[in-house]
Amino acid sequence: MSVLDVDVLIVGAGPVGLFGAYYAGVRGLRTAVVDSLSQVGGQVSAMYPEKEIYDIAGFPAVSGRRLIANLVEQAAPYRPAYVLGEEAQRLEHAPGGVLVVKTSGGTEITARAVVVTGGIGTFTPRPLPAGEEFLGRGLEYFVPDAVGYAGKDVVVVGGGDSAVDWALMLHPIASSVTLVHRRAAFRAHHGSVEQLKAAPVEIVTNAQVTAAHGGDQLERVELSTGETLPCERLVAALGFTANLGPLREWGLDLHDNRHLVVDSAMRTNVPGIFAAGDIADYDGKVRLIAVGFGEVATAVNNAAVHIDPAAQLFPGHSTDNPAPV
């Protein structure tokens, strides 16, 4: 069992959680970030990594992938500990107001405060009906790094933004890219679909992957049309299910059974637990990434005072405290 002892645990490694990791570093707090997904970025990385985002202050446009990379780089000097591919499950209260969170992977994290930035809850990829036995050996639900796809025969399954984005991203480096969708119509943004149609990507509609074959690694897939495709990398972009999962057992006040109720300091009803981003709820809430950035800064600063009542709520301006090199 792995054990971590930190000042602040951030539950959720989406953009708001990553900015929270940076801000906790600014406050001199030791920080861990846990997420059920195997990569950072939350909904942004899972659903629209190549889409341009236009409402981030200071960026006329920034792709989801670039935004996440920048946030990771921003937090990096403070060395947050990332616990990825593990769901925050059990919460225990230790003496002195200490919180102990145990994960699905057996990690035990002791913290003086917890900031929940889990977006709309735990993300679970919708499984591909055929080929699950090749998970990690050719089948993936994310494309965290395109390097492993260079020179490979790639099949992308799905019709949403993620599927189209990944097909567009991979075709310049892959040997071949085929997109397979079970319908004729796509859910993805119209402009992206038009780009896809103009790209050297084979599009197969009204079809599904029915079988996958290979040895140690995936080699080919069969379609419901009877066609067999060479396939060294299979990307299943079939969407995700999301729910609060074990957070429902933490004794937190919920609104609409989906969001955590907070006050103006981003405090929940459980002492030491704060929330920010899409998962947080209060009167007048606006669910935007830009709003979440401000909320998590508020949450972390109030967490710092919760941990040390003698601490100042306002940390000063970043220009007066440059990040460590």
Side-chain angles (χ1 to χ4, degrees):
M1 179 179 70
S2 178
V3 177
L4 290 174
D5 185 0
V6 297
D7 297 310
V8 175
L9 169 63
I10 295 176
V11 180
V16 172
L18 294 174
F19 187 66
Y22 155 76
Y23 218 96
V26 169
R27 292 305 308 253
L29 302 172
R30 296 168 300 133
T31 307
V33 183
V34 64
D35 199 293
S36 61
L37 296 181
S38 59
Q39 63 173 12
V40 299
Q43 295 178 58
V44 173
S45 293
M47 301 181 72
Y48 50 95
E50 298 305 317
K51 280 284 183 294
E52 294 291 309
I53 303 172
Y54 299 98
D55 58 359
I56 303 297
F59 291 90
V62 60
S63 72
R65 187 177 301 278
R66 175 48 54 192
L67 174 64
I68 297 305
N70 286 353
L71 287 163
V72 171
E73 181 181 356
Q74 186 178 28
Y78 301 104
R79 297 178 176 83
Y82 292 102
V83 182
L84 302 177
E86 299 186 27
E87 181 182 52
Q89 293 187 330
R90 291 176 53 196
L91 171 68
E92 298 175 359
H93 297 267
V98 172
L99 302 168
V100 181
V101 173
K102 297 182 179 180
T103 76
S104 58
T107 303
E108 183 175 292
I109 306 169
T110 299
R112 280 72 188 163
V114 172
V115 181
V116 181
T117 60
I120 56 176
T122 298
F123 257 28
T124 304
R126 296 186 188 278
L128 189 69
E132 188 74 15
E133 67 272 20
F134 285 100
L135 184 61
R137 298 187 295 125
L139 170 64
E140 300 293 346
Y141 289 104
F142 304 99
V143 184
D145 189 342
V147 173
Y149 295 76
K152 304 292 186 182
D153 292 311
V154 179
V155 175
V156 180
V157 181
D161 285 322
S162 298
V164 173
D165 282 355
W166 282 329
L168 290 171
M169 179 183 74
L170 294 173
H171 80 76
I173 65 169
S175 176
S176 69
V177 173
T178 303
L179 189 142
V180 177
H181 183 37
R182 63 192 178 98
R183 297 191 178 96
F186 287 84
R187 302 186 312 278
H189 187 275
H190 175 74
S192 297
V193 175
E194 291 303 305
Q195 280 184 268
L196 181 73
K197 291 177 179 178
V201 174
E202 182 180 356
I203 302 173
V204 181
T205 56
N206 298 311
Q208 299 184 60
V209 172
T210 56
H213 303 283
D216 292 337
Q217 295 291 318
L218 181 62
E219 297 174 4
R220 64 191 185 280
V221 294
E222 294 179 24
L223 305 184
S224 56
T225 58
E227 185 178 2
T228 298
L229 300 175
C231 179
E232 298 166 282
R233 295 289 186 271
L234 177 61
V235 182
L238 302 177
F240 299 83
T241 58
N243 61 72
L244 292 182
L247 291 180
R248 296 183 187 279
E249 311 302 320
W250 287 18
L252 300 164
D253 281 348
L254 301 178
H255 175 66
D256 291 339
N257 207 33
R258 296 187 301 126
H259 300 106
L260 307 184
V261 178
V262 298
D263 62 13
S264 60
M266 310 312 295
R267 290 180 292 238
T268 69
N269 62 300
V270 177
I273 300 183
F274 302 76
D278 285 356
I279 202 168
D281 193 77
Y282 50 84
D283 186 42
K285 169 75 177 190
V286 177
R287 288 185 167 82
L288 294 172
I289 293 174
V291 173
F293 287 157
E295 291 174 348
V296 78
T298 298
V300 167
N301 282 317
N302 281 280
V305 175
H306 172 81
I307 293 168
D308 178 8
Q312 294 290 322
L313 177 63
F314 178 59
H317 297 289
S318 63
T319 50
D320 299 325
N321 299 286
V325 178

